[in-house]
Amino acid sequence: MIPPLPSPNWQPAPARTLPLTPPPGLRLRGLVAEDLCLAWAPKASGDNLDFSLNPENWLSGTGDSLISVSARVLTLTGAMTDLTVLWATLLQGQACLFLGGGVPGTVQQVQVCVTTQQGRSLVQPISVAILADTPAAQAQPVPRLADGTPVPPNALALPGGAILTSPSGTPYLIA
C-alpha cells in the first residue's frame, strides 16, 4: 500500500473534520441506520470553506488508505446561490471538499463518495446547514485551469507556477 503523502501547504480544518464511519447496524435496537446522518458545522452563504472526512476509524487495522474522493450536492435547486462543491481532493489522507454558496436558512445534503486502494468504497450523505441570518451569496471563484478544471491546494506546480497535469488534463496531486 502507498501511504498518503503529507501536503505541506494545506491542512484540513479540525473544526470542520468528521470521522468517516458508516452508520452502525442498529436494527436490533429498533433504530434505522438510514435515519442517522452526519452533519458538518454550519456555514454562511458567502463562506468558501474546507470540510473533511477522516477515514482513520473506518480503515483501522486494514493497512488501506483513500485513493479517490468525489462529491455532489443532492439538494440543488438551480439557484445561483446553491451550495457548490468547488473542489474535492485527498489531503493528509483525508477526503476534503471546498464548499461555497448555499441558500440561507436551508440544510443542504452533500453526497461524498470515497474509494480505497484495496477497493473499498463508501457513499456518505452529509448535511450542511446554511446560516439563516446571512445574505445569499454565490460561491467565490477558486483557481482553475484553462479548461475550467478546479485546482485544489495540493496540485503539483512547476517552478514557473504552471500546474502539472496528466494527459487527460487532470491536475497531479499530493495526497
Side-chain angles (χ1 to χ4, degrees), residues 8 13 17 41-42 47 65 67 70-71 93 99-100 115 126 137 165:
T17 299
D47 294 343
S65 59
I67 58 165
S70 63
L99 304 176
T115 306
I126 304 169
T165 60

Side-chain angles (χ1 to χ4, degrees), residues 10 43 46-50 84-89 96-101 138-155 163 171:
W10 185 275
K43 69 177 276 320
D47 294 343
N48 273 11
L49 295 172
D50 59 295
T84 304
V85 178
L86 299 168
W87 50 254
T89 191
C96 298
L97 314 176
F98 205 55
L99 304 176
Q138 287 182 278
Q140 301 301 308
V142 296
R144 294 185 177 277
L145 298 175
D147 67 358
T149 302
V151 178
N154 60 333
I163 302 300

Side-chain angles (χ1 to χ4, degrees), residues 1 5 34 42 52 66-67 81 86 115 124 140 150 156 158 169 175:
M1 292 298 111
L5 297 171
E34 291 79 24
S52 303
L66 298 180
I67 58 165
T81 56
L86 299 168
T115 306
Q124 180 68 59
Q140 301 301 308
L156 290 174
L158 298 172

Side-chain angles (χ1 to χ4, degrees), residues 83-121:
L83 184 66
T84 304
V85 178
L86 299 168
W87 50 254
T89 191
L90 299 175
L91 288 164
Q92 310 297 340
Q94 298 181 39
C96 298
L97 314 176
F98 205 55
L99 304 176
V103 178
T106 63
V107 176
Q108 305 293 306
Q109 288 289 322
V110 179
Q111 184 181 66
V112 181
C113 304
V114 295
T115 306
T116 71
Q117 290 180 343
Q118 295 177 2
R120 292 174 176 87
S121 63

